[in-house]
Amino acid sequence: MANPRPYSGLIERLKAVGLRPTRQRLALAKLLFGPGNRHVSAEQLHGEAVGAQVRVSLATVYNTLHQFTAVGLLREVVVEPGRSYFDTNTSHHHHFFCEEDRNLVDIPGEELKVEKLPRPPPGTTVTEVDIVIRVRKNPGLEG
Amino acid sequence: MANPRPYSGLIERLKAVGLRPTRQRLALAKLLFGPGNRHVSAEQLHGEAVGAQVRVSLATVYNTLHQFTAVGLLREVVVEPGRSYFDTNTSHHHHFFCEEDRNLVDIPGEELKVEKLPRPPPGTTVTEVDIVIRVRKNPGLEG
DNA sequence: CATTAGTTTTAGAATCATTCCAAAAACATG
DNA sequence: CATGTTTTTGGAATGATTCTAAAACTAATG
Ligand SMILES: [Mn+2]
Ligand SMILES: [Mn+2]
Ligand SMILES: [Zn+2]
Ligand SMILES: [Zn+2]
């Protein structure tokens, strides 16, 4: 009946980064690291967990997202004030962001290159380059 | 004693964009559009106003910043969750951002170019390209 | 298996930037 | 000055996030 490998690999993956594979962390990891990459907010993920019968508090979702981010399983993306998104794609890449439907879409690394990175201010070192291409839905023709 | 032209040009500038030059708006404009470009948060600007003996509510500062942004006198910059910055430099340019001291620095347009802008998702049009180069203060050697 | 110490989760309060509201003030016009 | 409109404002409301201290859980030990 029950899936024989409900957390295939996830337990090892958590252990590998030094996080105990608790029920909550496993359930959230399962939601996050399923097929395909995702960009979710804390509230969103909490909603999905609740919807999937997983009992977990919002505080734990925040804790877990930050822990996952700290160990490199997630990346935090800031595109609008007030809300953070967590990205399961931790490779170097950039984003399209549609403010209308708050949708984040990955831009494959090769499709966007920066030429001539400027020298950072004296006494500082570059830690990251974030490019957000903001888009608007075309008028008319909508489904 | 008092400066003979305390709001040189500002009144006309506000009228030109269809905003009444009220006491509050003039005072805020004066703080914002003095020499040099600035990146300020609402709380920051409110603090400056209060410090300059200008009586203005925080609500009005928010209203004014958004109005100025709507008419193109300012640009809103999002680099961290929870807080918006307003940029007096409305020309196309990008930013360095130091998370440690929350300092935003302009990158002149010429010093940074994007090659091969990717095609936006079907049904959307690009409205803006925002590049944030995050930096960290170098360890040691500090004053 | 029972004890114990350390870790994780949790509900609920607290924070903080921002927005909302309805009343007061300022302004423009006749 | 009278009147209608725009602005300002204090204070309440919102919403995401963080904090707190207590409860639940785990691992290790005897
Ligand atoms: Mn965070
Ligand atoms: Mn805004
Ligand atoms: Zn992404
Ligand atoms: Zn700028």
Side-chain angles (χ1 to χ4, degrees), chain B residues 38-39 75 77 87-89 93-95 104-107:
Chain B
R38 321 201 41 195
H39 303 90
R75 231 181 80 178
V77 182
D87 190 344
T88 60
N89 181 351
H93 68 283
H94 303 290
H95 297 96
L104 265 177
V105 178
D106 281 352
I107 300 173

Side-chain angles (χ1 to χ4, degrees), chain A residues 82 96 110-116 118-119 123-128 130-136 138, chain B residues 82 96 110-116 118-119 123-128 130-136 138:
Chain A
F96 289 115
E110 320 78 47
E111 292 195 25
L112 179 55
K113 275 280 147 36
V114 182
E115 77 182 46
K116 254 206 330 176
R119 193 182 353 284
T124 69
T125 309
V126 173
T127 58
E128 208 181 329
D130 290 338
I131 305 185
V132 177
I133 303 186
R134 291 168 199 281
V135 301
R136 183 193 328 115
N138 291 337
Chain B
F96 289 114
E110 319 79 47
E111 292 195 25
L112 180 55
K113 276 279 148 34
V114 181
E115 77 183 43
K116 253 205 333 173
R119 192 178 359 279
T124 69
T125 309
V126 173
T127 60
E128 207 180 330
D130 291 338
I131 305 184
V132 177
I133 303 186
R134 292 170 197 278
V135 302
R136 182 190 333 113
N138 290 338

Side-chain angles (χ1 to χ4, degrees), chain B residues 45-67:
Chain B
L45 182 59
H46 182 246
E48 290 183 20
V50 169
Q53 316 292 334
V54 177
R55 282 180 44 265
V56 60
S57 72
L58 184 55
T60 295
V61 172
Y62 275 103
N63 288 341
T64 302
L65 285 173
H66 283 134
Q67 290 158 351

Side-chain angles (χ1 to χ4, degrees), chain A residues 43-55:
Chain A
E43 298 271 5
Q44 233 174 84
L45 182 61
H46 183 245
E48 289 182 21
V50 169
Q53 317 292 334
V54 178
R55 282 179 44 265

Side-chain angles (χ1 to χ4, degrees), chain A residues 81, chain B residues 66 76 84 86:
Chain B
H66 283 134
E76 195 171 351
S84 267
F86 294 87

